[in-house]
Amino acid sequence: MFKNALELISSKAHLTEEGLTKILSIRASVNNGLSDDLKIAFPNIIPVARPQIELPACINPYWLAGFVSAEGCFFVAYSQPANFGPRVQLFFRLSQHSRDAELMKNLVKYLSCGVYYARSNRNEGEFQVHVFSDILKCIIPFFQKHPIAGVKSLDFADFCKVANLMQTKAHLTDEGLEQIRIIKLGMNSGRAKLLTSCADLAVCFC
């Protein structure tokens, strides 16, 4: 659909009312559709039918590693309920628009673990792995064999550190819990905050 819109623009069709309508009809079916402002400005736009995509018989592991680099999340849950001791749990999550539900469900079979949750109120679904044995036997070995690129690789490395601590039961000790708490503070959005703080500090010393 992106290619079709580009061809219309290249042929100057967007300079005509008919061509602009075609482009907006394509835009209405791409990603999250038309913005509220465009819906008000062009109330009669009918989205084009999205092409039917046949899912591959086998998922390419390097594609999946790249997909996770952009959309995945390695998360450490750390809590201390009032009537219980501290609790640590690992989550691997991968979210996508609900129209890709079949692809996400295929990950359950491909990785031999996890579950798929549909979130109808947000038009998206999530593939999630939270069983510790599955993380140790399936998720960590997979991404060690098919490495993640970019900053997400740092989150995966920290994720593995916490998994190792949990595997040795260190999370049952105060010292181990403190290590996990510190690791968690530097992951995901915490890493971005840490990098920003370091950059600000560097500016102050310059």
Side-chain angles (χ1 to χ4, degrees):
M1 288 192 291
F2 180 87
K3 176 174 176 289
N4 290 341
L6 180 61
E7 290 174 345
L8 287 167
I9 294 172
S10 297
S11 65
K12 307 298 183 182
H14 64 293
L15 301 178
T16 68
E17 182 177 351
E18 180 183 0
L20 183 59
T21 298
K22 288 181 179 179
I23 291 173
L24 287 170
S25 294
I26 293 172
R27 178 68 181 85
S29 291
V30 174
N31 300 323
N32 293 323
L34 297 178
S35 66
D36 291 337
D37 289 341
L38 284 176
K39 289 178 181 178
I40 293 173
F42 302 94
N44 299 318
I45 295 297
I46 300 174
V48 299
R50 290 179 61 84
Q52 295 297 313
I53 302 298
E54 184 176 346
L55 294 177
C58 183
I59 293 175
N60 185 310
Y62 297 100
W63 168 84
L64 180 55
F67 186 21
V68 170
S69 296
E71 303 292 342
C73 177
F74 297 96
F75 183 73
V76 178
Y78 180 97
S79 61
Q80 189 162 359
N83 298 324
F84 301 94
R87 183 183 182 189
V88 179
Q89 191 170 12
L90 299 181
F91 290 87
F92 168 60
R93 295 168 174 164
L94 185 59
S95 299
Q96 198 67 188
H97 195 282
S98 56
R99 60 174 164 249
D100 282 319
E102 291 307 311
L103 172 62
M104 303 297 284
K105 290 176 183 177
N106 277 1
L107 294 179
V108 177
K109 180 179 180 181
Y110 179 70
L111 293 172
S112 301
C113 64
V115 291
Y116 174 77
Y117 296 104
R119 304 186 186 281
S120 56
N121 60 323
R122 294 168 56 183
N123 285 328
E124 68 177 38
E126 179 179 285
F127 169 73
Q128 182 185 116
V129 182
H130 61 267
V131 177
F132 187 57
S133 59
D134 288 339
I135 287 172
L136 288 179
K137 296 177 182 178
C138 303
I139 299 302
I140 290 178
F142 179 86
F143 291 110
Q144 287 176 334
K145 184 176 181 180
H146 309 287
I148 293 170
V151 70
K152 192 67 61 67
S153 64
L154 302 179
D155 290 327
F156 175 66
D158 285 341
F159 187 82
C160 292
K161 290 178 184 176
V162 175
N164 288 336
L165 287 168
M166 294 176 67
Q167 194 171 16
T168 60
K169 308 298 183 183
H171 64 297
L172 301 179
T173 68
D174 291 339
E175 181 182 356
L177 282 172
E178 181 62 13
Q179 290 183 59
I180 291 172
R181 187 186 69 81
I182 293 172
I183 292 171
K184 173 180 169 55
L185 287 175
M187 293 178 65
N188 302 315
S189 59
R191 189 183 307 281
K193 292 178 182 177
L194 181 62
L195 290 175
T196 301
S197 298
C198 289
D200 291 341
L201 185 62
V203 171
C204 291
F205 279 107
C206 289

